[in-house]
Amino acid sequence: FPVTIIAQQFALVESCSFVSVLVRRTKIREAGYPIPDFFIWYDDVEFTSRLSRHGYPGLLSLNSRVNHLLPENVGVNFRLMNDKTAWKFFYAIRNEAAVILRDQGIAKFLLHAMGRLRLVLSLDVSMKKKIRLVQSLISAVHFSKKCTPSIPVS
């Protein structure tokens, strides 16, 4: 994430995880809710990036500590995919690609898709899983048209 340090105590961020994030209700009224169809991955990045584009960048306290109660929190690392976690990576690929297509256009989407395709083909997983991950790129094209935020009614 792009970061600018302020007074050695805070950093401006354009996007972040939902872990320990606070957002003013008035800002949600302007930028809209997180997109529920994103489900598990990239919902936080898309939402907080959208807030930044609306003029509300994030402020990270460098002294903050959070206890994220998970057995293991490794983020989106495709090399760590296994049979138990493979289903999540479909959403990781689809959601990110849909936002790139929606916000940056077809050329950036195609460049991104080529990179993801190269990654998927290099993974040490079954061909069935690779095909499913490639399908997520195709799914992103349709999904990009419906991944629009809803604005709360005042």
Side-chain angles (χ1 to χ4, degrees), residues 138-152:
I138 297 163
S139 173
V141 174
H142 172 71
F143 187 67
S144 69
K145 296 171 185 145
K146 67 178 230 171
C147 66
T148 56
S150 61
I151 306 295

Side-chain angles (χ1 to χ4, degrees), residues 35-121:
I35 298 168
D37 287 340
F38 274 19
F39 177 55
I40 190 152
W41 267 338
Y42 211 70
D43 51 345
D44 47 9
V45 173
E46 188 281 333
F47 176 68
T48 55
S49 296
R50 187 166 14 106
L51 286 168
S52 291
R53 285 193 310 275
H54 276 81
Y56 310 115
L59 187 62
L60 166 71
S61 170
L62 300 177
N63 298 318
S64 173
R65 298 291 177 259
V66 175
N67 187 0
H68 191 197
L69 300 174
L70 288 177
E72 186 178 22
N73 187 16
V74 294
V76 181
N77 183 338
F78 286 85
R79 303 269 176 229
L80 299 176
M81 183 172 44
N82 59 46
D83 287 338
K84 187 177 176 184
T85 62
W87 67 272
K88 293 192 240 181
F89 290 88
F90 173 91
Y91 295 103
I93 291 174
R94 181 199 70 176
N95 295 351
E96 182 180 27
V99 170
I100 289 170
L101 179 57
R102 182 193 72 193
D103 296 346
Q104 299 177 37
I106 190 71
K108 293 273 186 170
F109 168 79
L110 291 173
L111 284 172
H112 174 78
M114 291 302 292
R116 285 297 187 217
L117 185 58
R118 249 189 327 272
L119 171 68
V120 166
L121 294 176

Side-chain angles (χ1 to χ4, degrees), residues 9-21:
Q9 293 181 20
F10 301 100
L12 285 175
V13 294
E14 292 179 13
S15 63
C16 67
S17 165
F18 275 147
V19 176
S20 192
V21 70

